[in-house]
């Protein structure tokens, strides 16, 4: 075949494939990163939700066991969940047998319906499920703005039989797991999945790596900081964050814990000194330990502002 013909067929083949496989057309695929052994992170886009990334702008994960895959988080939409399923299939032939929901925010669970339809059970703590339900309307409104029409495909199914406890230990496929609520974090009702033997922590949105975390009105910053310290005290060796690439505890401290400490300490001091908000924001604007984090310029001042509002109201 001549080079020219080959190019023509190449382009045609690509078009055909793009039509058959929508994710190729969108060009977005989450990245699978092996954490250690049979434990993996699924790293979505480190940026905003967009139609292209199907709202999958966060990090999920999975564990391959002898009895199938335990998936931690299902993405923001059924199509996002399909991409997650494909990502898992890229490393193992084991089917997904259990989905654990540790996050209240959309991109941790709004793809559940794809797995429920296949008969895969969803496991979550009761307080996670209650907050997922409470936030469903707000999350869908935001998703419509960010991913557009695809938001209409979401069927917001939650765990059918949530666990009424703050700690739940279970064994699946020979692997020990613990679902733990360490206190509220980025959202009230968030939780973590802990593998005690390998000291692996699926930390969800308690921990952000590589990008600046966002303190929102729905993020109780004082409790989030306490929860971070509770997680650090568990001594994880491997941390799969809710956003960004996996790492160790030192990285989690550098990118999340130290920053929450800084916000709470500096804003707390400013409130004691009756310093007004604008002044604190100016004083804290330079934060060289964190300004390498992606979206520092977008979020840092907002975080100080939100921390001030919350702590002033305490
Ligand atoms: Zn998130």
């Amino acid at each position: 075949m001549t080079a020219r013909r080959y190019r023509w067929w190449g382009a045609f083949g690509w078009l055909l494939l793009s039509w058959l496989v929508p994710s190729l057309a969108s060009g977005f695929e989450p990245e699978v990163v092996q954490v250690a052994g049979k434990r993996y992170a699924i790293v979505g886009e480190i940026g905003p939700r967009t139609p292209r990334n199907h709202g999958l702008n966060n990090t999920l994960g999975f564990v391959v066991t002898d009895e199938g895959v335990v998936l931690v988080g299902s993405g923001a939409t059924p199509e996002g969940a399909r991409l997650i399923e494909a990502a898992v299939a890229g490393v193992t032939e084991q089917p997904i047998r259990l989905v654990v929901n540790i996050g209240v925010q959309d991109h941790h669970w709004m793809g559940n319906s794809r797995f429920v339809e296949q008969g895969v059970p969803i496991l979550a703590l009761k307080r996670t499920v209650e907050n997922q339900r409470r936030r469903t309307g707000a999350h869908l409104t935001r998703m419509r703005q960010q991913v557009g029409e695809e938001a209409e495909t979401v069927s917001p199914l939650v765990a059918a039989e949530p666990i009424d406890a703050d700690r739940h230990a279970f064994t699946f496929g020979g692997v020990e797991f613990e679902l733990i609520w360490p206190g509220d974090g980025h959202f009230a009702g968030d939780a973590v999945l802990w593998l005690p033997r390998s000291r692996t922590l699926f930390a969800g949105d308690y921990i952000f790596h590589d990008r600046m975390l966002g303190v929102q009105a729905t993020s109780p910053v004082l409790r989030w900081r306490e929860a971070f310290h509770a997680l650090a005290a568990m001594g994880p060796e491997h941390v799969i964050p809710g956003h960004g690439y996996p790492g160790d505890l030192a990285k989690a401290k550098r990118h999340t814990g130290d920053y929450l400490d800084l916000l709470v300490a500096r804003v707390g001091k400013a409130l004691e000194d009756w310093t007004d908000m604008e002044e604190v924001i100016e004083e804290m604007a330079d934060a060289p330990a964190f300004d390498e984090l992606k979206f520092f310029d977008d979020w840092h001042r907002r975080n100080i502002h939100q921390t001030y509002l919350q702590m002033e109201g305490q």
Side-chain angles (χ1 to χ4, degrees):
M1 198 183 285
T2 66
R4 201 175 155 176
R5 257 192 179 167
Y6 180 79
R7 273 205 301 275
W8 191 87
W9 274 107
F12 179 74
W14 180 252
L15 263 175
L16 192 69
L17 262 176
S18 304
W19 177 69
L20 290 169
V21 186
S23 73
L24 286 176
S26 78
F28 175 76
E29 275 179 35
E31 187 181 344
V32 175
V33 179
Q34 186 176 27
V35 175
K38 294 181 174 180
R39 303 176 300 282
Y40 298 84
I42 303 174
V43 183
E45 191 144 321
I46 303 178
R49 293 169 189 74
T50 62
R52 182 181 165 274
N53 65 33
H54 310 278
L56 205 56
N57 68 331
N58 62 321
T59 298
L60 307 167
F62 62 97
V63 181
V64 182
T65 80
D66 296 340
E67 285 167 33
V69 171
V70 175
L71 179 66
V72 189
S74 61
T77 67
E79 175 60 14
R82 193 187 65 73
L83 294 182
I84 290 162
E85 218 176 349
V88 171
V91 296
T92 178
E93 286 179 0
Q94 290 272 19
I96 294 167
R97 290 271 189 238
L98 178 68
V99 175
V100 183
N101 281 176
I102 58 173
V104 166
Q105 207 176 17
D106 49 17
H107 45 213
H108 289 285
W109 68 278
M110 284 192 169
N112 279 352
S113 62
R114 178 165 178 99
F115 301 103
V116 172
E117 281 162 11
Q118 298 174 51
V120 180
I122 311 289
L123 181 71
L125 297 181
K126 191 175 163 203
R127 67 169 71 235
T128 304
V129 169
E130 284 171 354
N131 282 284
Q132 286 171 335
R133 284 211 178 99
R134 190 169 299 147
R135 303 274 173 210
T136 298
H139 281 150
L140 284 176
T141 301
R142 196 154 165 239
M143 284 252 285
R144 279 184 197 107
Q145 294 159 2
Q146 295 183 312
V147 309
E149 280 175 17
E150 194 179 328
E152 309 307 329
T153 65
V154 171
S155 168
L157 299 180
V158 293
E161 293 174 21
I163 309 288
D164 191 5
D166 291 333
R167 264 189 118 93
H168 174 64
F170 62 99
T171 302
F172 192 98
V175 180
E176 288 175 23
F177 295 89
E178 251 187 288
L179 188 51
I180 299 170
W181 176 70
D184 290 328
H186 187 233
F187 275 86
D190 280 345
V192 301
L193 187 67
W194 172 238
L195 280 67
R197 287 193 180 265
S198 58
R199 311 200 74 73
T200 302
L201 180 68
F202 288 92
D205 284 347
Y206 290 93
I207 294 175
F208 283 52
H209 282 171
D210 309 305
R211 59 154 292 176
M212 176 48 73
L213 60 81
V215 180
Q216 297 167 349
T218 45
S219 316
V221 64
L222 289 175
R223 281 182 272 151
W224 185 356
R225 177 181 166 273
E226 282 170 23
F228 180 90
H229 285 280
L231 295 175
M234 287 159 59
E237 253 175 58
H238 308 284
V239 176
I240 297 96
H243 292 263
Y245 285 88
D248 57 9
L249 180 58
K251 181 177 180 182
K253 283 182 174 164
R254 277 199 318 278
H255 291 190
T256 293
D258 293 351
Y259 184 71
L260 293 170
D261 285 348
L262 174 90
L263 284 179
V264 169
R266 292 282 301 273
V267 172
K269 176 77 172 63
L271 284 164
E272 268 175 40
D273 296 345
W274 297 81
T275 312
D276 71 39
M277 192 195 293
E278 289 311 314
E279 210 176 310
V280 187
I281 292 174
E282 285 315 313
E283 276 174 22
M284 291 179 66
D286 285 335
F290 308 103
D291 62 10
E292 296 291 309
L293 294 173
K294 209 167 173 186
F295 308 121
F296 175 86
D297 292 338
D298 302 288
W299 277 97
H300 180 51
R301 284 167 176 264
R302 281 155 79 176
N303 288 341
I304 303 167
H305 179 256
Q306 184 55 237
T307 301
Y308 193 101
L309 290 178
Q310 289 187 21
M311 290 182 74
E312 194 182 31
Q314 294 287 316

